[in-house]
Amino acid sequence: MTQVTRFVLTQEMVEQFYREGFFYARGFLTKEMVDAINEENAAFANEKGTGEWKSKAIIDIAVEQELYPETTRFLTSPDIVSLLEQILGDQVKLWMGMYAVVAPHGNGLEWHQDNQYTHILGHMLNGFIALDDISQENAGLWLAPGSHLLGRQPNINTEPGHKRAAEPENGVACPPLVPGDAVFFHRETLHHSKKNNTDKPRRAYAFQVAAASCRYAQSGKRLEDRVLLSGYAKG
């Protein structure tokens, strides 16, 4: 069976996540795991569509694991779940997993926080995993260090669609990533991606997990509609 990860988490990485709102995880997924995910999603990555940025989400693992067994195996891997629990200091629930593609010469997304969509109280983690070589030539990621400390930002996009935040003054471009490299950042860290200036689609996998203690801001209820990954890891 394909080995999922050989990555070793350090205490400094965890501290940086809370202090700066992000950290880099070089070699987070093995080459074999990256190849398996790309193979499962080859048709989606190469299909032609009108959107410049497109995604395919996994929320219900029980349903999706038959269609995307390697992708869901990575998301429920005991080694991966243990790392996520160490970062968030709690059992973790899958908010969503998303195979994300920026089409050739397509645009990325404006500055935003994911917490501008559904407002969640508590710590949540976003993982952005390169499935191709990714640089600023093909819609590389940008982050604003410390922006998670500002709390949830207002949406300034007056048009339907993606949320948008005011552009931060301290945005920095992520360094080039090779397949399997990852960036982990807080759900309230401001981030965006620029244009894909190449003739090939830019492939990445993005996922979000929540500490089991998180609650919906609107209702005050826990995330009972989301899967506890810890249960899958122990099963």
Side-chain angles (χ1 to χ4, degrees), residues 35-46 56 58 68 71 99 101 131 203 205:
D35 290 344
I37 294 173
N38 279 333
E39 184 176 350
E40 281 189 341
N41 291 279
F44 175 79
N46 293 305
K56 179 170 59 177
I58 291 177
Y68 309 106
T71 302
Y99 189 76
V101 176
L131 300 178
R203 299 174 296 179
Y205 194 83

Side-chain angles (χ1 to χ4, degrees), residues 126-198:
N126 289 26
F128 176 89
I129 305 172
L131 300 178
D132 287 315
D133 289 311
I134 296 180
S135 69
Q136 294 309 308
E137 284 299 305
N138 62 340
L141 193 66
W142 283 63
L143 298 165
S147 54
H148 66 305
L149 302 176
L150 302 174
R152 188 172 186 250
Q153 297 297 291
N155 172 37
I156 63 173
N157 186 8
T158 58
E159 301 295 328
H162 294 291
K163 306 297 184 182
R164 181 183 175 193
E167 182 173 350
E169 296 181 354
N170 66 333
V172 294
C174 293
L177 306 174
V178 302
D181 284 351
V183 186
F184 289 111
F185 55 97
H186 197 280
R187 182 174 171 83
E188 292 193 328
T189 297
L190 288 165
H191 60 284
H192 90 121
S193 55
K194 293 187 181 296
K195 185 174 181 177
N196 179 2
N197 295 302
T198 72

Side-chain angles (χ1 to χ4, degrees), residues 215-226:
R215 294 178 180 269
Y216 289 105
Q218 187 173 10
S219 67
K221 296 182 181 297
R222 295 190 185 273
L223 312 184
E224 300 296 345
D225 57 335
R226 290 302 194 263

